[in-house]
Amino acid sequence: MVTTHNLGFPRIGARRELKFALESYWKGESSREQLQALGAQLRQRHWQHQSGLDWIPAGDFSFYDQVLDMSFTLGNLPERARGFHGDPLDNYFRVARGRSARDAEEHAVCCGGIAAGEMTKWFDTNYHYIVPEFTAGTQFKLDASRLVAQVREAKAQGIKAKPVLIGPVTYLWLGKAKDDSDKLALLERLLPVYAQLLEELAAQGVEWVQLDEPVLVTELDAGWQHALNQAYHHLKSSSVKLLVATYFGTLQDNLYLFSNLPVAGLHVDAINARDEVRPLLNLLPSHRVLSLGIVNGRNIWKTDLNAALDWLEPYAERLGDRLWIAPSCSLLHVPVDLACEQELDAELKSWLAFALQKLDEVKVLATALDMGRAAVAAELAANQAAIASRRASPRVTKPEVRAAIAAISPALGRRQHPYLVRAGKQAALLKLPAYPTTTIGSFPQTAEIRQARRRFKAGELDEAGYTRAMQAEIARSVREQEALGLDVLVHGEAERNDMVEYFGEQLDGYAFSQFGWVQSYGSRCVKPPILFGDISRPKAMTVAWIQYAQSLTARPMKGMLTGPVTILNWSFVRDDQPRAVSCYQLALAMREEVLDLEKAGVRIIQIDEAALREGLPLRRSEWTTYLEWAVESFRITANGVQDETQIHTHMCYSEFNDIIESIAGMDADVITIETSRSDMGLLEAFDDFKYPNEIGPGVYDIHSPNIPTQEHIVQLMKKAAERIPAERLWVNPDCGLKTRQWPEVIPALANMVAAARTLRASA
């Protein structure tokens, strides 16, 4: 019999219940007990959703981030968070976001704010994790209470639980040595704590434990490869059976190492690494379980079940009861339930599968393998009809878009003159001071904005009324910025629900769910648009809003756009053509918007490419091809304008040092980047590479409610000036401010503007 299991389930809730509970707790509007009760309700519901699987994950639920959970389980807290004597959950949130709850009556911070943990992308996904921090003296001490409690909960509910942990080598690989020490030297201290944890789980009656080691799909030097061998030889005597899981890519030169780890089972991503399954099977010892991730855990298209069975059946015959099947990775990256969707048209909906539907696919495949296809004939026929419908639909392919792609030439990606020529013309036109100040684009999405949007969608507010409501919010943003003394203003993006969804809603070839939320970090959720067909732009998308904002001020107003690579990487992308083709289609559509903004008199246009780096293949040897089409897509979007039009781009929460030359190749006049959580550490790239254009290193962390001081901002900018000429530096936050509140934003920006004035005075 084939064994079915799951690697992880979306934790946020089908209606974002966890998001709202977290934010209520952080505001002091609800208690710790209420938050914990909501967590227990979600876990119970999610385990019930997974009933019918042979093994169900436990420990995959988190109040913020699974890597941060692992840090607390291992007792690896940053020095600044140690010695805290309040509620451990509050200390957890202090590391996650710099601050935890507020007292509901006094509106006072209940615990001291600290610098939040650095945050970056989880491999090549849009999920962010809190980076573990290490020093040469780091010690580990087990706290298994969270995981043991969830295992006990599952057991009490009759759940056959398989605890899920970040593997020890991946945990070290994900972290950062704050003193430049060797992270791998900590492995010998770490492994006994992992061994102790496994014994704690065995004492709870646990049979299988899943250890996630996605580091295996990256390029590892001999030291890291040896660490994997060392780790699992140390843990092989554990009283539980270990399933080592890898996903998101191919094993390549780690294939032999992976196949010979001394564990009871291995999980491989059979979506990305399908061609490696046969050689892996030839290396697999005869007693070892092989789990195949046959259903795509990162995208929302239905699995072609008949094709999957054609591929699976020979392996099932060969492996017998040693074959497990599952989604390719945790379902954290997809929405919960397609059945919630009432507005998607029936044809498009028939092409999709969210988390619950993906688990149904796993169950159908297992039944067919165990009992024959006849046992699930109706399900297979319905699936085949949906697959055929998508392939034949005229909604998917548009000849005019294909013709435009074929006509792309290198000239589309070139500015008229190099940066130095452009910079002189832009300076004469814009007349900005030294250390010009700006923000990244969005301002707080207030209750009034959200209410107006809800009423408009419900038909309770007509278009004219909605426009007036949004204009009022834009006017407020402009007034606040002028009062603060910012040099380059933004309209605040009141009318935008999300930086990708907003554009996708106005582009042909996209569709939108009502409840297709996925977690980006903490309580932050996004609802990725569904890119199902060829892309085109029917009409201008932002021009009227930017024109209105510019009419309210004499100061420069930035036009705000999302770049083609970010729209691509933050969408559920069609899987029936190369990603590069879809990106070029988006580039041509967004280029039309850039040119329309310029015609409307907008002289600064920001094209955000926050997700450029996260689209990188996990293996450096594959980067060049991706970067070529990604950078060219940006250039096609940006470079049709006149020299006098200043092009900005923004990148956030990415380790981009190793692609700095490609970023320079984008040839944006100004780039703004996240640097505050790393204490300007990301600017080390500029020690060896002289970035040719202007740059705005983010000077305060917008993902934390902590308000930066003027002195701290001055200090950060002085660090930046050690690497970048002061005349090419801008002063700005790390990212957009939509998730903050005005009472936080105004004093923070006031300190930022005051810091810029101090810097000018001392220049």
Side-chain angles (χ1 to χ4, degrees), residues 518-537:
V518 295
Q519 186 181 22
S520 180
Y521 62 86
S523 69
R524 169 69 171 153
C525 300
V526 294
K527 186 151 61 72
I530 300 166
L531 198 170
F532 71 87
D534 288 341
I535 297 295
S536 60
R537 187 196 76 144

Side-chain angles (χ1 to χ4, degrees), residues 32-52:
R32 179 186 190 276
E33 290 71 25
Q34 288 171 306
L35 178 61
Q36 294 281 21
L38 185 278
Q41 291 168 15
L42 285 174
R43 288 191 292 274
Q44 181 179 24
R45 185 188 311 165
H46 296 163
W47 287 329
Q48 290 171 348
H49 283 327
Q50 298 173 83
S51 63

Side-chain angles (χ1 to χ4, degrees), residues 395-576:
R395 302 168 64 186
V396 172
T397 304
K398 298 176 184 174
E400 64 275 17
V401 176
R402 299 289 165 142
I405 294 295
I408 289 176
S409 68
L412 283 182
R414 289 198 292 265
R415 292 290 291 268
Q416 293 178 337
H417 293 96
Y419 163 75
L420 288 176
V421 174
R422 304 193 309 263
K425 295 180 180 180
Q426 292 163 15
L429 178 67
L430 297 172
K431 297 181 173 59
L432 297 174
Y435 295 102
T437 56
T438 189
T439 65
I440 303 306
S442 60
F443 276 110
Q445 289 272 307
T446 63
E448 293 81 6
I449 291 173
R450 297 182 190 280
Q451 182 182 38
R453 185 175 297 129
R454 282 194 298 268
R455 293 181 61 208
F456 180 54
K457 287 186 175 181
E460 299 169 3
L461 186 66
D462 63 17
E463 187 168 355
Y466 176 73
T467 298
R468 286 193 298 271
M470 295 301 102
Q471 287 179 338
E473 294 291 339
I474 290 169
R476 176 186 182 178
S477 293
V478 173
R479 288 195 306 271
E480 296 288 5
Q481 290 173 89
E482 288 197 316
L484 286 162
L486 286 160
D487 300 306
V488 174
L489 310 191
V490 297
H491 78 296
E493 303 181 14
E495 80 288 357
R496 302 186 190 182
N497 43 15
D498 175 81
M499 64 183 290
V500 172
E501 184 176 4
Y502 175 79
F503 291 100
E505 285 177 334
Q506 301 180 76
L507 294 169
D508 284 346
Y510 267 106
F512 292 85
S513 62
Q514 291 169 272
F515 303 107
W517 298 100
V518 295
Q519 186 181 22
S520 180
Y521 62 86
S523 69
R524 169 69 171 153
C525 300
V526 294
K527 186 151 61 72
I530 300 166
L531 198 170
F532 71 87
D534 288 341
I535 297 295
S536 60
R537 187 196 76 144
K539 61 181 181 180
M541 300 178 284
T542 66
V543 175
W545 298 111
I546 306 300
Q547 280 185 308
Y548 173 73
Q550 184 66 81
S551 74
L552 302 175
T553 181
R555 299 187 187 187
M557 178 67 61
K558 279 195 290 188
M560 301 300 306
L561 303 175
T562 304
V565 185
T566 296
I567 296 177
L568 181 84
N569 285 335
W570 287 357
S571 297
F572 289 124
V573 181
R574 58 192 292 188
D575 57 357
D576 60 344

Side-chain angles (χ1 to χ4, degrees), residues 168-169 172 184-192 222-236 257 261-262:
V169 179
L172 288 176
L184 274 179
L186 300 175
L187 186 62
E188 289 189 5
R189 294 179 210 164
L190 181 61
L191 290 177
W224 286 97
Q225 290 179 329
H226 175 70
L228 282 155
N229 227 342
Q230 178 185 353
Y232 288 95
H233 275 87
H234 184 96
L235 300 176
K236 69 181 180 180
L257 165 67
L261 292 177

